[in-house]
């Protein structure tokens, strides 16, 4: 029997894990797709393609041209445009689809969290929470904070940001995972008053929340955009693999 052809929309650790799991099974042929934003991406196992599809219509055409049987949307919880395209293209083509999305973080005793739906909301909240800010919201988020001249920002990201940027900005180029000790040291050495992060979920980058709890540093948490409705979902790579196996026998 021919292998089931899976398009895996990636850019996350979970996508890489699932690519590895699928690559080990002869009954699946996986093509991982990355946006091409990171200069030196860590490539997953199996076939890889890089770059956008030109919207939902472009993706629908790509699915037909490449005889894809199933799409796994394992993009980051904040990659809302790609998820919307995937939902529309799979609906239009009738290709099976599952969303692999890790759960958001849970507030624990001792956490001081301020939730907001947008980066602009986070920038507004900062006015009352402290002057020295650690930003882990990604380099492309920096524009939302560009007007805050009274604050000092430390932006931790994989690649350098582009203008507009805030007047007082330090950039720390790094890539997770991080330990609680590393996060303690970062918060202390930069005398951070407040952390701004997206509710990415997962264990790769959650140490900063533990460190903030332990040091009494408040956190501004940008909430996730909604997941497109009506699609099957899985919270782990293993669960997504099970879904594919059940769907394709
Ligand atoms: P986005 O706003 O949802 O996507 C913008 C456009 O980038 C999409 O419309 C699509 O272009 C292209 N694209 C996004 N993901 C793609 C993929 N996996 N394969 C091919 N094209 C893709 O996404 P984003 O927030 O810019 O994120 C880009 C990538 O970085 C995603 O793969 C995501 O998993 C990863 N990532 C994002 C974040 C975050 O905080 N947003 C964090 C870590 C990793 P076309 O319309 O031309 O198809």
């Amino acid at each position: 029997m021919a292998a089931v052809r899976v398009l895996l929309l990636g850019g996350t650790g979970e996508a890489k894990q699932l690519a590895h799991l699928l690559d080990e099974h002869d009954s699946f042929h996986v093509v991982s797709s990355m946006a091409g934003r990171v200069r030196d991406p860590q490539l997953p196992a199996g076939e890889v393609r890089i770059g956008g599809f030109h919207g939902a219509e472009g993706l629908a055409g790509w699915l037909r041209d490449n005889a894809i049987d199933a799409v796994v949307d394992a993009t980051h919880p904040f990659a809302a445009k790609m998820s919307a395209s995937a939902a529309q293209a799979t609906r239009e083509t009738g290709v099976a689809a599952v969303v692999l999305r890790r759960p958001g973080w849970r507030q624990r005793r001792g956490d001081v969290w301020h939730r907001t739906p947008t980066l602009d909301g986070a920038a507004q909240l900062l006015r009352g929470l402290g002057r020295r800010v650690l930003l882990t919201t990604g380099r492309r988020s920096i524009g939302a904070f560009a007007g805050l001249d009274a604050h000092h920002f430390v932006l931790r990201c994989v690649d350098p940001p582009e203008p507009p940027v805030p007047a007082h900005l330090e950039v720390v180029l790094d890539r997770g995972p991080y330990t609680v000790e590393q996060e303690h040291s970062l918060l202390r050495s930069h005398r951070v008053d407040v952390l701004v992060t997206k509710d990415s979920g997962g264990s790769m980058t959650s140490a900063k929340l533990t460190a903030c709890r332990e040091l009494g540093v408040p956190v501004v948490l940008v909430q996730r955009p909604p997941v497109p409705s009506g699609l099957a979902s899985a919270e782990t790579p293993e669960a997504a693999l099970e879904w594919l196996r059940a769907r394709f026998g």
Side-chain angles (χ1 to χ4, degrees):
M1 218 176 83
V4 175
R5 293 179 60 79
V6 179
L7 173 66
L8 175 51
L9 299 169
T12 59
E14 286 82 357
K16 253 180 86 185
Q17 289 164 26
L18 180 58
H20 181 74
L21 292 175
L22 289 169
D23 196 49
E24 285 185 330
H25 285 74
D26 290 341
S27 46
F28 292 107
H29 177 89
V30 61
V31 182
S32 289
S33 175
M34 328 262 286
R37 296 276 154 67
V38 177
R39 256 185 225 164
D40 178 22
Q42 297 175 332
L43 295 180
E47 193 179 329
V48 178
R49 65 163 300 286
I50 296 182
F53 297 93
H54 305 294
E57 276 181 26
L59 177 57
W62 196 95
L63 296 177
R64 288 192 198 98
D65 293 348
N66 290 274
I68 295 297
D69 300 301
V71 172
V72 181
D73 172 8
T75 55
H76 190 271
F78 282 80
K81 228 170 138 191
M82 188 68 249
S83 289
S85 273
Q88 190 183 325
T90 51
R91 204 170 39 240
E92 282 172 15
T93 53
V95 169
V98 61
V99 179
L100 167 54
R101 202 61 97 242
R102 61 181 99 125
W105 285 313
R106 284 231 183 123
Q107 192 162 7
R108 304 247 306 259
R109 182 193 286 264
D111 284 326
V112 181
W113 287 4
H114 302 267
R115 294 177 193 269
T116 175
T118 61
L119 289 166
D120 289 339
Q124 288 293 327
L125 277 171
L126 280 183
R127 294 179 197 277
L129 288 174
R131 210 180 66 76
R132 298 185 63 87
V133 184
L134 174 61
L135 280 181
T136 63
T137 43
R139 71 187 167 106
R140 289 187 304 128
S141 71
I142 194 70
F145 304 91
L148 299 184
D149 292 346
H151 287 71
H152 179 95
F153 290 93
V154 178
L155 171 69
R156 181 171 66 190
C157 49
V158 177
D159 289 318
E162 285 163 18
V165 300
H168 308 287
L169 174 69
E170 270 178 85
V171 177
V172 175
L173 295 180
D174 209 347
R175 196 195 301 247
Y178 307 100
T179 64
V180 176
E181 291 69 32
Q182 286 170 318
E183 301 296 45
H184 265 261
S185 149
L186 183 75
L187 291 168
R188 279 213 210 87
S189 62
H190 291 278
R191 293 177 285 118
V192 169
D193 298 319
V194 52
L195 165 73
V196 181
T197 181
K198 291 175 177 171
D199 183 10
S200 301
S203 57
M204 286 263 292
T205 57
S206 63
K208 62 192 168 199
L209 299 172
T210 308
C212 282
R213 183 188 317 127
E214 290 175 358
L215 295 176
V217 172
V219 175
V220 174
L221 196 73
V222 182
Q223 292 163 314
R224 297 172 167 208
V227 181
S229 57
L231 291 184
S233 65
E235 291 191 351
T236 62
E238 291 75 16
L241 175 64
E242 271 318 303
W243 187 90
L244 287 166
R245 276 175 154 164
R247 180 74 169 68
F248 292 95

